[in-house]
Each structure stands twice: as C-alpha cells, then as structure tokens.
Amino acid sequence: MIIKLLGTGDSPGTPVLNCHCKTCEDARKNKWERRRYSILIKNADKILLIDTSPDLRRQLLENRIERVDAVLWTHPHFDHFGGFSEFYRVQGNVDVYTTPQIHESIGKYLHFLSYKKKEVNAFERFSISDVSFTLFPVNHPPVEAVGVKIEWNGYKIVISGDTNLEIPKKSIEEMKNPDLFIVNSIAPSGKFKKHMNAKEALSLAGEIGAKKVVLSHLGHFFPPQKIAVRYYPVGEDNQEFSFGEGRLDEFLGD
Ligand SMILES: [Zn+2]
Ligand SMILES: [Zn+2]
Ligand SMILES: [Zn+2]
C-alpha cells in the first residue's frame, strides 16, 4: 500500500495569491508550492483519495492517475472537496464515503453532480479494496469534521483531518499507537480556533504514541520549505510512504 501526500498546503495554498511575505516570495522565486489538501492511497491497483483538493487536476496529471475508485471526504470546506468535479468530467459515478451530515453539507454545493453516496457513521469500520477505514469525530468549528484511521496488513495510519487540539476522548482512543500520523498544523506557533500549531500537533503525536509524525495542511506562516524541514517534521507535496512486508519506506517527491 502506498500513501502519498498530493497537497500539504492550507486553504489558500503557498504561495498565497497577492501575498509577498518571505515564504510566498521564496516559493515564487524557487518554484516550489504547497498545494491544497488531498491524500492518495493506492492498494492493489485501486486508487482512493482522501479529500478532493481544488488543485486536483494538476495533482492527478502529475501522478499519472487516470481513474479514481473511491473518495473519502473529511469535512465540508472548499479546500477539501472543491476539486471533486476535476475528475468527474471524465469519470462519473464515483463512490464517495463520509458521514451523513458531511454528505448533506457538501451535497448542497455539488447538487448538479451525481455520485454514489456511501454513508458511514463515525466509529463504524468499513473496507475498500482490502484496506479498512474508521472515521472519528474531531473538532473544527463550526463544521462537522472527521479524522481517518487506516488499517492494512498490521499497519495503522492516522490522519487527523482539520482539527484543533480539543479532540473527543473516544476519538483519541481510536487514534492511539499509529505507525504514521499525518496531522494538521497551520503554523509553527500561535492560537487558532480551527487548527493546531506545530507545538500542539507534536504534543498530540506524543500523547497518542505515534511512531512517525508528518505535519500537513501547512500555511505560509511556516518558513520556506528548505528551512522549515530543519525545525519541524513538515510534509512535502508528493512525499510518499510505502508499506510492505514489515517495512515502511519513505520517498520525497521531485
Ligand atoms: Zn483545510
Ligand atoms: Zn505569504
Ligand atoms: Zn477545514
């Protein structure tokens, strides 16, 4: 099974349009980007996307993905579902998994598209091509949002989704002891109502006993990528994790 971070940026992405901060200027000058949030899971030729980023067309083209077997949405914010119609134009009737409430919210925006709504409740385990998933509620006011637990061949991967640190206790139990924890962190420090800063994200990683942690959903508040990697376990667009027989390999994108 392969897990690939297609986009590690926050909702405006980096560089931010019309922003001339040090990070955004560095991104323009040195031609790097943090695109909007999508995570690719590939297992036995099946392609699954966790969230459908507004940058999805480029992300799919670059990764030579021509077909998507299923989609899972974490919450009804544009940077997590806005790109759904990017592949809908060439491929209809995709299975989309999320809670009934998140389906209802996103369905209002995407009322002109037809797709196969698969409703799953929080804490209800379900499988797609040999991989098992469990959604758990997180805290991202004012919308309902879930994180995702993925289990495959003895490995456990947890994706926090967009959340602040006030995650319900029952969800924390579900998140414990992952081999890989992909956690949202919008800035190195500072207080945010809907998100965690790096310090909070890393303390949560410690609390749940994560073996490996990757920060994602990164804002331009982080230094330029080349500097940020020296201080934080920041993810990078196209970073890939491959889970095989008893080993976890990691590749950085080009
Ligand atoms: Zn977001
Ligand atoms: Zn900026
Ligand atoms: Zn959000």
Side-chain angles (χ1 to χ4, degrees), residues 43-56:
N43 184 48
D45 289 337
K46 295 279 184 213
I47 301 278
L48 169 77
L49 291 176
I50 296 192
D51 289 336
T52 48
S53 145
D55 293 314
L56 202 55

Side-chain angles (χ1 to χ4, degrees), residues 91-105:
Q91 180 200 340
N93 250 352
V94 181
D95 288 348
V96 185
Y97 295 79
T98 191
T99 67
Q101 205 182 333
I102 297 171
H103 260 312
E104 199 194 324
S105 304

Side-chain angles (χ1 to χ4, degrees), residues 16 19 21 24 220:
V16 179
C19 177
C21 76
C24 292
H220 62 153

Side-chain angles (χ1 to χ4, degrees), residues 11 75 77 79-80 140 162 195 217:
S11 59
H75 67 291
H77 276 158
D79 55 320
H80 295 258
H140 190 52
D162 280 13
H195 295 279
H217 207 278

Side-chain angles (χ1 to χ4, degrees), residues 135-146:
L135 308 180
F136 52 86
V138 289
N139 198 351
H140 190 52
V143 298
E144 177 180 312
V146 293

Side-chain angles (χ1 to χ4, degrees), residues 10-241:
D10 63 346
S11 59
T14 300
V16 179
L17 281 173
N18 202 26
C19 177
H20 300 284
C21 76
K22 228 174 132 187
T23 298
C24 292
E25 284 297 294
D26 183 88
R28 283 186 198 96
K29 195 173 142 225
N30 297 309
K31 302 197 182 336
W32 61 273
E33 243 186 291
R34 291 184 189 126
R35 289 182 183 166
R36 269 73 63 79
Y37 197 91
S38 252
I39 296 176
L40 167 83
I41 297 173
K42 190 175 170 193
N43 184 48
D45 289 337
K46 295 279 184 213
I47 301 278
L48 169 77
L49 291 176
I50 296 192
D51 289 336
T52 48
S53 145
D55 293 314
L56 202 55
R57 179 172 178 273
R58 284 250 73 87
Q59 290 161 324
L60 296 182
L61 277 171
E62 279 177 15
N63 285 285
R64 295 191 187 86
I65 294 163
E66 304 192 329
R67 189 198 75 249
V68 173
D69 296 291
V71 163
L72 198 160
W73 282 323
T74 61
H75 67 291
H77 276 158
F78 184 78
D79 55 320
H80 295 258
F81 73 80
F84 183 75
S85 47
E86 293 288 331
F87 63 81
Y88 182 84
R89 283 185 168 276
V90 288
Q91 180 200 340
N93 250 352
V94 181
D95 288 348
V96 185
Y97 295 79
T98 191
T99 67
Q101 205 182 333
I102 297 171
H103 260 312
E104 199 194 324
S105 304
I106 297 179
K108 284 181 196 150
Y109 290 91
L110 301 181
H111 57 88
F112 53 93
L113 305 180
S114 68
Y115 48 91
K116 282 192 238 152
K117 285 187 184 171
K118 306 272 184 186
E119 297 191 338
V120 279
N121 293 309
F123 304 116
E124 203 177 274
R125 205 170 140 141
F126 60 98
S127 292
I128 308 171
S129 134
D130 244 15
V131 184
S132 60
F133 296 87
T134 311
L135 308 180
F136 52 86
V138 289
N139 198 351
H140 190 52
V143 298
E144 177 180 312
V146 293
V148 186
K149 177 176 85 170
I150 301 168
E151 288 162 300
W152 179 81
N153 244 356
Y155 287 106
K156 175 170 174 176
I157 298 102
V158 170
I159 298 169
S160 74
D162 280 13
T163 182
N164 62 29
L165 199 50
E166 313 301 315
I167 297 171
K169 269 211 165 64
K170 197 176 168 196
S171 297
I172 294 281
E173 285 308 311
E174 204 71 46
M175 296 165 80
K176 280 195 170 150
N177 303 315
D179 297 286
L180 174 65
F181 182 36
I182 301 169
V183 55
N184 99 104
S185 170
I186 201 157
S189 58
K191 195 75 202 139
F192 298 88
K193 210 170 78 195
K194 300 182 197 175
H195 295 279
M196 284 184 264
N197 64 36
K199 206 175 153 201
E200 291 168 328
L202 293 174
S203 81
L204 176 62
E207 183 188 342
I208 63 168
K211 287 195 194 120
K212 180 168 179 59
V213 55
V214 182
L215 306 182
S216 191
H217 207 278
L218 309 161
H220 62 153
F221 316 103
F222 277 95
Q225 186 68 6
K226 280 206 165 78
I227 299 170
V229 291
R230 289 189 221 148
Y231 302 98
Y232 311 96
V234 284
E236 196 168 308
D237 285 18
N238 290 328
Q239 187 172 358
E240 183 176 302
F241 302 90

